[in-house]
Amino acid sequence: MTTLHKQPRHRLTYMLYAALCMVMLTVSCNDYETYGDKKAKERKAIDRLISDSAFTIISESQFHLQGDSTSVEKREFVYMDNTGVYMQIMRRGSGDYIQDGENINLLCRFIEMNVEDTVLTALNAYYYVFDVDRMFVNRTGNTYTASFLGGKMYETYGASVPAGWLVPLNYIKIGRRQDQLAKVRLIVPHTQGNTTATSYVYPFYYEITFQRER
C-alpha cells in the first residue's frame, strides 16, 4: 500500500519560486548577446547591404593597380585590410592632397545610416544630413588625426572623428570648387566608427564630401 504524503505548503512555495527563477534565468541567458554574437550580427548586416546594393568588392592590390581608384559604374568598393573599412571613391576631387605636416580645416557634408536599422536595395533611400560639419585635420607622415569643431556630428557624438572618416584622405584631393569636391562612400565597422557604433557594435554607411575651408 502506497501512502501519499502531502508536501508542506512552504516547501511547495519554495519549489515554485525556484522553478520560476530557473525559467527567468534561462530567458535572460537566451536574450544576452555576447560580443561575438554582436560582431556576427554586424557582419551579416554588412554582407546584406553589399548584396542588396549589388556592390562589387575589390582587394587593395586591385585598387592600387587601378591607380588607387574604384569604378562607380561597376559599383566597386575596395576593402581596406588594416581597418576593415569598405571605400568607394566617387570623385577624387580638385585641389591638392593634404601634405605631410599640414594642418587644415575641412567642411564635410554627409549622409549617415546605421546599417543594422535599415534594409536597402537602392541608394536613393538614405536619410540626408544637410548640416556642414567643420573638421580639423593634421597629417604627420601617413597618420591623420582629426577632431570635429562644430556641426551635426559634433552635436551628436562630440569632437571625436570616426577613424573610418580618415581612411580616404590618402587618396583624395581637397579643394574648394563645389562642383568638384572629393566625394566618397564608406561602410564603416564599429571598430572604426562613431561612439554609438563602438558602444553597440553597429556598422554605419556614409557618403561624404570634403571641402577645404577658406
Side-chain angles (χ1 to χ4, degrees), residues 8-214:
R9 186 183 299 272
H10 70 276
R11 186 177 179 186
L12 288 174
T13 301
Y14 172 78
M15 292 174 65
L16 288 171
Y17 176 75
L20 180 60
C21 287
M22 288 297 295
V23 170
M24 293 177 66
L25 181 61
T26 300
V27 171
S28 177
C29 289
N30 288 340
D31 288 343
Y32 176 73
E33 281 188 314
T34 66
Y35 179 60
D37 293 334
K38 292 177 180 179
K39 288 209 304 181
K41 188 176 179 181
E42 175 188 47
R43 181 70 259 164
K44 288 180 181 179
I46 292 173
D47 288 344
R48 183 176 64 244
L49 175 63
I50 291 171
S51 175
D52 290 349
S53 302
F55 294 151
T56 299
I57 307 304
I58 64 173
S59 66
E60 272 195 76
S61 58
Q62 181 62 37
F63 172 68
H64 295 316
L65 284 174
Q66 295 176 181
D68 293 345
S69 67
T70 53
S71 169
V72 177
E73 292 75 19
K74 295 178 181 178
R75 305 175 74 82
E76 287 181 344
F77 278 67
V78 55
Y79 177 74
M80 310 302 287
D81 294 319
N82 289 338
T83 61
V85 170
Y86 295 84
M87 175 180 68
Q88 181 186 77
I89 299 176
M90 302 178 70
R91 285 195 303 267
R92 191 178 300 277
S94 60
D96 299 317
Y97 294 100
I98 300 175
Q99 301 301 306
D100 185 11
E102 187 176 9
N103 299 317
I104 66 169
N105 289 342
L106 302 183
L107 303 178
C108 305
R109 297 169 179 83
F110 67 96
I111 304 165
E112 179 185 71
M113 184 196 76
N114 183 336
V115 176
E116 288 192 10
D117 284 349
T118 310
V119 178
L120 297 169
T121 56
L123 291 177
N124 60 1
Y126 298 118
Y127 294 102
Y128 280 76
V129 179
F130 294 103
D131 303 62
V132 178
D133 273 61
R134 295 179 66 243
M135 184 171 74
F136 168 81
V137 177
N138 166 263
R139 177 180 177 182
T140 303
N142 286 325
T143 300
Y144 294 84
T145 56
S147 58
F148 288 119
L149 303 175
K152 198 69 174 180
M153 291 293 284
Y154 180 83
E155 293 172 4
T156 306
Y157 306 113
S160 178
V161 175
W165 277 46
L166 306 181
V167 170
L169 296 183
N170 270 325
Y171 309 104
I172 59 174
K173 296 179 179 181
I174 309 297
R176 294 190 175 97
R177 290 189 55 176
Q178 288 283 351
D179 60 336
Q180 294 183 20
L181 297 182
K183 185 175 183 179
V184 300
R185 290 173 175 157
L186 303 173
I187 303 172
V188 179
H190 76 281
T191 53
Q192 302 291 312
N194 60 50
T195 53
T196 296
T198 55
S199 296
Y200 295 97
V201 194
Y202 288 154
F204 276 78
Y205 169 89
Y206 292 98
E207 289 184 16
I208 313 170
T209 61
F210 296 94
Q211 181 180 12
R212 187 180 294 265
E213 187 177 50
R214 293 185 183 277

